């Protein structure tokens, strides 16, 4: 019984979760010969200011990225 925990900074819609769960289940069936019905996928969503990459909070990195994007 495969168990996959997907951790995401920010929110996913139910539609996005369904698509991700399908892709993971399809991959495990195709590559590892695990039946889709045996695959469990859980989603952990966290606020982007509750997770850091190196010394920077993801929310701070988001702000830096916005500043560095060219105006369209």
């Amino acid at each position: 019984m495969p168990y996959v925990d997907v951790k995401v900074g920010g929110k996913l819609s139910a539609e996005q979760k369904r698509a991700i769960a399908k892709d993971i289940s399809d991959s495990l069936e195709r590559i590892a010969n695990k039946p889709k019905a045996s695959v469990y996928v859980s989603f952990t969503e966290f606020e982007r200011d509750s997770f850091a990459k190196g010394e920077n909070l993801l929310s701070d990195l988001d702000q830096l990225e916005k500043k560095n994007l060219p105006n369209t």
Side-chain angles (χ1 to χ4, degrees):
M1 159 181 89
Y3 177 88
V4 179
D5 183 21
V6 178
K7 296 184 182 192
V8 179
K11 296 286 186 180
L12 294 172
S13 68
E15 203 170 86
Q16 289 171 316
K17 291 177 186 177
R18 284 186 197 99
I20 292 167
K22 180 183 183 323
D23 282 354
I24 289 170
S25 298
D26 288 346
S27 293
L28 283 166
E29 182 176 63
R30 186 180 74 255
I31 297 166
N33 297 316
K34 301 296 181 187
K36 288 182 194 183
S38 73
V39 177
Y40 287 84
V41 180
S42 71
F43 294 91
T44 304
E45 299 170 315
F46 53 86
E47 297 297 322
R48 293 185 64 78
D49 62 356
S50 297
F51 197 81
K53 180 179 178 187
E55 63 186 25
N56 298 300
L57 296 176
L58 293 185
S59 57
D60 294 337
L61 293 173
D62 293 342
Q63 292 303 315
L64 287 173
E65 187 176 302
K66 284 181 185 176
K67 287 180 185 177
N68 292 327
L69 287 177
N71 292 336
T72 55

